[in-house]
Amino acid sequence: DSIPSTSVDSLLTFATNACVKSRIIQFSRGNWKVFDGPFSKEDFSRTKPWTLLIDGIDKYAFEVKHLKQLVSFLPTWRLDDIMVSYSVKDGSTGPHFDLYDVFLVQAKGNRKWRIGQRCNAETPIVPHSRLQLVSEFKLSEEYFTEPGDILYIPPNIAHWGISENTSITYSIG
């Protein structure tokens, strides 16, 4: 199957709906900021790099559901949902780690992925009420993804995606 062609306009429209869990992450003046949806169209005209995240996009965009077939070798109980990340140039969610397998499917644009150290409950985290960002990211590898690429991140491995241009990445977790 091919990578879904969910349009940027569709994603931004989903993020204006109060029933859709969405948030924008922005790095500005040395601080990470989180803004919760629903959003207005004006919220997408920011001057600093930003990333829009929509949880459970597979519930709203039919063309995304088939991406779970890419990981059909995993038991269904290990899959939660598909999140989509829309980023403008230099947009990011910051260096973090997840407690589960993550398959990053690049749909549009390009991202640089920095892979870091193995993390656990003792890993130093940036003091922030909403984000669990690794405070001491130790780069071990770097990958560049383009449309059609899939990058696997094992549980507890720090990773940090930075958009090279306007991009869309689906995260199967």
Side-chain angles (χ1 to χ4, degrees), residues 48-90:
K48 302 290 184 194
W50 57 277
T51 296
L52 169 69
L53 299 173
I54 301 175
D55 293 330
I57 191 66
D58 49 314
K59 297 176 188 125
Y60 310 110
F62 179 75
E63 68 272 16
V64 173
K65 289 182 182 186
H66 82 277
L67 285 178
K68 286 187 179 180
Q69 294 172 359
L70 295 172
V71 295
S72 62
F73 55 88
L74 291 174
T76 55
W77 59 266
R78 289 194 55 188
L79 294 176
D80 186 19
D81 69 353
I82 299 175
M83 180 179 69
V84 66
S85 168
Y86 166 74
S87 291
V88 298
K89 182 177 177 13
D90 297 324

Short mmCIF file of all heavy atoms in Angstrom, two decimals, residues 48-90:
data_model
loop_
_atom_site.label_atom_id
_atom_site.label_comp_id
_atom_site.label_asym_id
_atom_site.label_seq_id
_atom_site.Cartn_x
_atom_site.Cartn_y
_atom_site.Cartn_z
N LYS A 48 7.45 31.53 14.61
CA LYS A 48 8.50 30.62 15.09
C LYS A 48 8.18 29.21 14.60
O LYS A 48 7.02 28.87 14.37
CB LYS A 48 8.55 30.61 16.63
CG LYS A 48 8.80 31.96 17.24
CD LYS A 48 10.19 32.44 16.99
CE LYS A 48 10.41 33.78 17.71
NZ LYS A 48 11.58 34.45 17.28
N PRO A 49 9.21 28.36 14.43
CA PRO A 49 8.95 26.97 14.00
C PRO A 49 7.99 26.26 14.96
O PRO A 49 8.08 26.42 16.17
CB PRO A 49 10.34 26.32 14.05
CG PRO A 49 11.30 27.46 13.91
CD PRO A 49 10.62 28.62 14.60
N TRP A 50 7.09 25.46 14.38
CA TRP A 50 6.07 24.78 15.18
C TRP A 50 5.70 23.45 14.54
O TRP A 50 5.94 23.21 13.36
CB TRP A 50 4.83 25.65 15.37
CG TRP A 50 4.18 26.11 14.10
CD1 TRP A 50 4.54 27.20 13.35
CD2 TRP A 50 3.07 25.51 13.42
NE1 TRP A 50 3.72 27.31 12.26
CE2 TRP A 50 2.81 26.29 12.27
CE3 TRP A 50 2.27 24.40 13.67
CZ2 TRP A 50 1.79 25.99 11.38
CZ3 TRP A 50 1.25 24.10 12.78
CH2 TRP A 50 1.01 24.90 11.66
N THR A 51 5.10 22.61 15.37
CA THR A 51 4.63 21.29 14.94
C THR A 51 3.22 21.09 15.47
O THR A 51 2.96 21.32 16.65
CB THR A 51 5.54 20.17 15.48
OG1 THR A 51 6.85 20.34 14.90
CG2 THR A 51 5.01 18.80 15.15
N LEU A 52 2.34 20.64 14.61
CA LEU A 52 0.98 20.26 14.99
C LEU A 52 0.93 18.75 15.15
O LEU A 52 1.36 18.01 14.26
CB LEU A 52 -0.02 20.69 13.91
CG LEU A 52 -1.44 20.12 14.05
CD1 LEU A 52 -2.16 20.72 15.26
CD2 LEU A 52 -2.24 20.38 12.77
N LEU A 53 0.44 18.27 16.30
CA LEU A 53 0.25 16.84 16.54
C LEU A 53 -1.24 16.56 16.66
O LEU A 53 -1.96 17.27 17.36
CB LEU A 53 0.94 16.41 17.83
CG LEU A 53 2.46 16.61 17.88
CD1 LEU A 53 2.99 16.30 19.28
CD2 LEU A 53 3.14 15.75 16.84
N ILE A 54 -1.68 15.51 15.99
CA ILE A 54 -3.07 15.06 16.10
C ILE A 54 -3.03 13.60 16.50
O ILE A 54 -2.52 12.76 15.76
CB ILE A 54 -3.86 15.24 14.79
CG1 ILE A 54 -3.87 16.72 14.37
CG2 ILE A 54 -5.28 14.70 14.95
CD1 ILE A 54 -4.53 16.97 13.03
N ASP A 55 -3.55 13.31 17.69
CA ASP A 55 -3.61 11.92 18.17
C ASP A 55 -4.78 11.20 17.49
O ASP A 55 -5.81 11.80 17.22
CB ASP A 55 -3.83 11.89 19.69
CG ASP A 55 -2.63 12.43 20.44
OD1 ASP A 55 -1.51 12.29 19.95
OD2 ASP A 55 -2.83 12.99 21.54
N GLY A 56 -4.60 9.90 17.26
CA GLY A 56 -5.68 9.08 16.75
C GLY A 56 -6.18 9.50 15.38
O GLY A 56 -7.36 9.37 15.09
N ILE A 57 -5.28 9.97 14.52
CA ILE A 57 -5.71 10.43 13.20
C ILE A 57 -6.36 9.30 12.41
O ILE A 57 -7.20 9.56 11.54
CB ILE A 57 -4.51 11.05 12.41
CG1 ILE A 57 -4.99 11.78 11.15
CG2 ILE A 57 -3.47 10.00 12.08
CD1 ILE A 57 -5.82 13.00 11.40
N ASP A 58 -6.06 8.06 12.75
CA ASP A 58 -6.66 6.91 12.05
C ASP A 58 -8.17 6.81 12.32
O ASP A 58 -8.88 6.15 11.58
CB ASP A 58 -5.95 5.61 12.42
CG ASP A 58 -5.77 5.42 13.91
OD1 ASP A 58 -5.34 6.36 14.60
OD2 ASP A 58 -6.05 4.30 14.39
N LYS A 59 -8.66 7.51 13.34
CA LYS A 59 -10.10 7.52 13.62
C LYS A 59 -10.84 8.55 12.77
O LYS A 59 -12.06 8.49 12.64
CB LYS A 59 -10.35 7.82 15.09
CG LYS A 59 -9.80 6.77 16.03
CD LYS A 59 -9.99 7.19 17.46
CE LYS A 59 -9.26 6.24 18.36
NZ LYS A 59 -8.33 6.89 19.25
N TYR A 60 -10.11 9.51 12.22
CA TYR A 60 -10.74 10.61 11.49
C TYR A 60 -10.46 10.59 9.99
O TYR A 60 -11.29 11.02 9.21
CB TYR A 60 -10.26 11.96 12.06
CG TYR A 60 -10.38 12.03 13.56
CD1 TYR A 60 -9.25 12.02 14.37
CD2 TYR A 60 -11.63 12.07 14.17
CE1 TYR A 60 -9.36 12.06 15.75
CE2 TYR A 60 -11.75 12.12 15.55
CZ TYR A 60 -10.62 12.11 16.33
OH TYR A 60 -10.72 12.15 17.69
N ALA A 61 -9.28 10.12 9.62
CA ALA A 61 -8.89 10.10 8.21
C ALA A 61 -8.83 8.65 7.75
O ALA A 61 -7.88 7.93 8.06
CB ALA A 61 -7.55 10.80 8.02
N PHE A 62 -9.84 8.21 7.03
CA PHE A 62 -9.95 6.82 6.60
C PHE A 62 -8.71 6.33 5.87
O PHE A 62 -8.28 5.19 6.04
CB PHE A 62 -11.20 6.65 5.72
CG PHE A 62 -11.37 5.25 5.23
CD1 PHE A 62 -11.83 4.26 6.08
CD2 PHE A 62 -11.06 4.92 3.92
CE1 PHE A 62 -11.98 2.96 5.63
CE2 PHE A 62 -11.20 3.62 3.46
CZ PHE A 62 -11.66 2.64 4.32
N GLU A 63 -8.09 7.20 5.07
CA GLU A 63 -6.96 6.78 4.27
C GLU A 63 -5.72 6.42 5.09
O GLU A 63 -4.76 5.86 4.58
CB GLU A 63 -6.61 7.86 3.22
CG GLU A 63 -6.06 9.15 3.79
CD GLU A 63 -7.14 10.17 4.15
OE1 GLU A 63 -8.33 9.81 4.26
OE2 GLU A 63 -6.78 11.35 4.36
N VAL A 64 -5.75 6.73 6.40
CA VAL A 64 -4.61 6.46 7.27
C VAL A 64 -4.70 5.08 7.92
O VAL A 64 -3.68 4.48 8.27
CB VAL A 64 -4.53 7.57 8.36
CG1 VAL A 64 -3.47 7.26 9.39
CG2 VAL A 64 -4.28 8.91 7.71
N LYS A 65 -5.89 4.54 8.06
CA LYS A 65 -6.09 3.28 8.80
C LYS A 65 -5.22 2.14 8.29
O LYS A 65 -4.73 1.33 9.07
CB LYS A 65 -7.56 2.86 8.74
CG LYS A 65 -8.46 3.73 9.56
CD LYS A 65 -9.89 3.26 9.51
CE LYS A 65 -10.76 4.20 10.31
NZ LYS A 65 -12.12 3.73 10.43
N HIS A 66 -5.02 2.06 6.99
CA HIS A 66 -4.26 0.94 6.44
C HIS A 66 -2.78 0.94 6.85
O HIS A 66 -2.10 -0.05 6.68
CB HIS A 66 -4.39 0.90 4.91
CG HIS A 66 -3.48 1.82 4.19
ND1 HIS A 66 -3.78 3.15 4.01
CD2 HIS A 66 -2.26 1.62 3.64
CE1 HIS A 66 -2.78 3.72 3.35
NE2 HIS A 66 -1.86 2.82 3.12
N LEU A 67 -2.28 2.05 7.40
CA LEU A 67 -0.88 2.08 7.84
C LEU A 67 -0.59 1.04 8.91
O LEU A 67 0.54 0.56 9.02
CB LEU A 67 -0.50 3.47 8.35
CG LEU A 67 -0.28 4.55 7.30
CD1 LEU A 67 0.05 5.88 7.96
CD2 LEU A 67 0.80 4.17 6.31
N LYS A 68 -1.60 0.67 9.69
CA LYS A 68 -1.39 -0.36 10.72
C LYS A 68 -0.98 -1.69 10.10
O LYS A 68 -0.35 -2.52 10.75
CB LYS A 68 -2.63 -0.51 11.59
CG LYS A 68 -2.81 0.64 12.55
CD LYS A 68 -3.94 0.40 13.51
CE LYS A 68 -4.08 1.55 14.49
NZ LYS A 68 -5.17 1.36 15.43
N GLN A 69 -1.32 -1.89 8.82
CA GLN A 69 -0.91 -3.12 8.14
C GLN A 69 0.61 -3.21 8.01
O GLN A 69 1.15 -4.30 7.89
CB GLN A 69 -1.56 -3.21 6.76
CG GLN A 69 -3.07 -3.36 6.81
CD GLN A 69 -3.70 -3.25 5.43
OE1 GLN A 69 -3.04 -3.05 4.43
NE2 GLN A 69 -5.01 -3.38 5.40
N LEU A 70 1.28 -2.07 8.03
CA LEU A 70 2.74 -2.06 7.96
C LEU A 70 3.38 -2.76 9.15
O LEU A 70 4.51 -3.23 9.07
CB LEU A 70 3.27 -0.63 7.88
CG LEU A 70 2.91 0.17 6.63
CD1 LEU A 70 3.33 1.63 6.80
CD2 LEU A 70 3.54 -0.44 5.39
N VAL A 71 2.65 -2.82 10.26
CA VAL A 71 3.16 -3.47 11.47
C VAL A 71 2.27 -4.64 11.87
O VAL A 71 2.12 -4.94 13.05
CB VAL A 71 3.33 -2.45 12.62
CG1 VAL A 71 4.39 -1.42 12.28
CG2 VAL A 71 2.02 -1.76 12.94
N SER A 72 1.71 -5.31 10.89
CA SER A 72 0.79 -6.42 11.16
C SER A 72 1.47 -7.59 11.86
O SER A 72 0.80 -8.46 12.41
CB SER A 72 0.12 -6.89 9.87
OG SER A 72 1.10 -7.37 8.97
N PHE A 73 2.79 -7.60 11.90
CA PHE A 73 3.53 -8.65 12.60
C PHE A 73 3.46 -8.46 14.12
O PHE A 73 3.77 -9.39 14.87
CB PHE A 73 4.99 -8.68 12.15
CG PHE A 73 5.69 -7.36 12.28
CD1 PHE A 73 6.32 -7.00 13.45
CD2 PHE A 73 5.69 -6.47 11.21
CE1 PHE A 73 6.95 -5.77 13.57
CE2 PHE A 73 6.33 -5.24 11.31
CZ PHE A 73 6.96 -4.88 12.49
N LEU A 74 3.04 -7.28 14.58
CA LEU A 74 2.89 -7.03 16.01
C LEU A 74 1.49 -7.44 16.47
O LEU A 74 0.52 -7.25 15.74
CB LEU A 74 3.07 -5.55 16.32
CG LEU A 74 4.46 -4.96 16.16
CD1 LEU A 74 4.42 -3.45 16.38
CD2 LEU A 74 5.44 -5.60 17.11
N PRO A 75 1.37 -7.97 17.68
CA PRO A 75 0.02 -8.24 18.21
C PRO A 75 -0.76 -6.93 18.33
O PRO A 75 -0.19 -5.89 18.65
CB PRO A 75 0.28 -8.83 19.60
CG PRO A 75 1.74 -9.12 19.68
CD PRO A 75 2.43 -8.32 18.63
N THR A 76 -2.04 -6.97 18.06
CA THR A 76 -2.85 -5.74 18.08
C THR A 76 -2.85 -5.06 19.44
O THR A 76 -3.00 -3.84 19.51
CB THR A 76 -4.30 -6.02 17.64
OG1 THR A 76 -4.84 -7.05 18.46
CG2 THR A 76 -4.35 -6.43 16.18
N TRP A 77 -2.67 -5.81 20.52
CA TRP A 77 -2.67 -5.20 21.85
C TRP A 77 -1.45 -4.30 22.05
O TRP A 77 -1.43 -3.50 22.97
CB TRP A 77 -2.76 -6.25 22.96
CG TRP A 77 -1.66 -7.28 22.98
CD1 TRP A 77 -1.67 -8.51 22.40
CD2 TRP A 77 -0.39 -7.15 23.64
NE1 TRP A 77 -0.48 -9.16 22.63
CE2 TRP A 77 0.32 -8.35 23.40
CE3 TRP A 77 0.22 -6.16 24.39
CZ2 TRP A 77 1.61 -8.58 23.88
CZ3 TRP A 77 1.50 -6.38 24.88
CH2 TRP A 77 2.18 -7.59 24.62
N ARG A 78 -0.44 -4.40 21.18
CA ARG A 78 0.74 -3.54 21.30
C ARG A 78 0.59 -2.24 20.52
O ARG A 78 1.48 -1.40 20.56
CB ARG A 78 1.98 -4.29 20.82
CG ARG A 78 2.36 -5.39 21.80
CD ARG A 78 3.71 -5.93 21.59
NE ARG A 78 4.76 -4.93 21.61
CZ ARG A 78 6.01 -5.21 21.28
NH1 ARG A 78 6.34 -6.43 20.91
NH2 ARG A 78 6.93 -4.27 21.30
N LEU A 79 -0.52 -2.08 19.82
CA LEU A 79 -0.74 -0.86 19.04
C LEU A 79 -1.76 0.02 19.72
O LEU A 79 -2.81 -0.45 20.15
CB LEU A 79 -1.23 -1.21 17.64
CG LEU A 79 -0.25 -1.95 16.75
CD1 LEU A 79 -0.92 -2.31 15.44
CD2 LEU A 79 0.99 -1.13 16.51
N ASP A 80 -1.46 1.29 19.80
CA ASP A 80 -2.39 2.24 20.37
C ASP A 80 -3.14 2.95 19.26
O ASP A 80 -4.30 2.66 19.00
CB ASP A 80 -1.64 3.23 21.26
CG ASP A 80 -2.55 4.17 22.01
OD1 ASP A 80 -3.75 3.86 22.13
OD2 ASP A 80 -2.07 5.22 22.46
N ASP A 81 -2.48 3.86 18.59
CA ASP A 81 -3.12 4.62 17.52
C ASP A 81 -2.06 5.12 16.57
O ASP A 81 -0.87 4.81 16.72
CB ASP A 81 -3.94 5.78 18.09
CG ASP A 81 -3.08 6.89 18.71
OD1 ASP A 81 -1.85 6.72 18.84
OD2 ASP A 81 -3.64 7.93 19.07
N ILE A 82 -2.49 5.90 15.63
CA ILE A 82 -1.58 6.58 14.72
C ILE A 82 -1.70 8.07 15.00
O ILE A 82 -2.79 8.63 14.99
CB ILE A 82 -1.91 6.27 13.25
CG1 ILE A 82 -1.79 4.77 12.99
CG2 ILE A 82 -0.98 7.06 12.32
CD1 ILE A 82 -2.20 4.35 11.59
N MET A 83 -0.56 8.67 15.27
CA MET A 83 -0.51 10.11 15.47
C MET A 83 0.11 10.72 14.21
O MET A 83 0.98 10.10 13.59
CB MET A 83 0.35 10.45 16.69
CG MET A 83 0.44 11.93 16.97
SD MET A 83 1.43 12.29 18.44
CE MET A 83 3.05 11.85 17.87
N VAL A 84 -0.33 11.89 13.86
CA VAL A 84 0.28 12.59 12.73
C VAL A 84 0.95 13.85 13.23
O VAL A 84 0.47 14.49 14.17
CB VAL A 84 -0.75 12.90 11.61
CG1 VAL A 84 -1.80 13.90 12.08
CG2 VAL A 84 -0.05 13.38 10.34
N SER A 85 2.08 14.14 12.62
CA SER A 85 2.85 15.32 12.94
C SER A 85 3.00 16.14 11.67
O SER A 85 3.56 15.65 10.68
CB SER A 85 4.22 14.89 13.47
OG SER A 85 5.09 15.99 13.55
N TYR A 86 2.49 17.35 11.70
CA TYR A 86 2.67 18.29 10.60
C TYR A 86 3.61 19.38 11.11
O TYR A 86 3.34 20.02 12.12
CB TYR A 86 1.33 18.90 10.16
CG TYR A 86 1.51 20.11 9.28
CD1 TYR A 86 1.92 19.97 7.96
CD2 TYR A 86 1.31 21.39 9.77
CE1 TYR A 86 2.11 21.09 7.15
CE2 TYR A 86 1.49 22.51 8.97
CZ TYR A 86 1.90 22.35 7.66
OH TYR A 86 2.10 23.45 6.87
N SER A 87 4.72 19.57 10.42
CA SER A 87 5.71 20.57 10.87
C SER A 87 6.07 21.51 9.76
O SER A 87 6.19 21.11 8.59
CB SER A 87 7.00 19.87 11.32
OG SER A 87 6.82 19.16 12.49
N VAL A 88 6.29 22.75 10.14
CA VAL A 88 6.88 23.71 9.22
C VAL A 88 8.40 23.54 9.31
O VAL A 88 8.90 22.79 10.17
CB VAL A 88 6.46 25.16 9.58
CG1 VAL A 88 4.95 25.33 9.47
CG2 VAL A 88 6.95 25.56 10.96
N LYS A 89 9.14 24.21 8.46
CA LYS A 89 10.60 24.10 8.48
C LYS A 89 11.13 24.37 9.89
O LYS A 89 10.71 25.32 10.55
CB LYS A 89 11.21 25.09 7.49
CG LYS A 89 12.73 25.01 7.42
CD LYS A 89 13.28 25.95 6.39
CE LYS A 89 14.78 26.01 6.29
NZ LYS A 89 15.60 25.05 6.93
N ASP A 90 12.01 23.50 10.35
CA ASP A 90 12.65 23.56 11.67
C ASP A 90 11.70 23.23 12.82
O ASP A 90 12.10 23.32 13.99
CB ASP A 90 13.33 24.90 11.93
CG ASP A 90 14.48 25.17 10.95
OD1 ASP A 90 15.17 24.20 10.58
OD2 ASP A 90 14.66 26.33 10.55
#
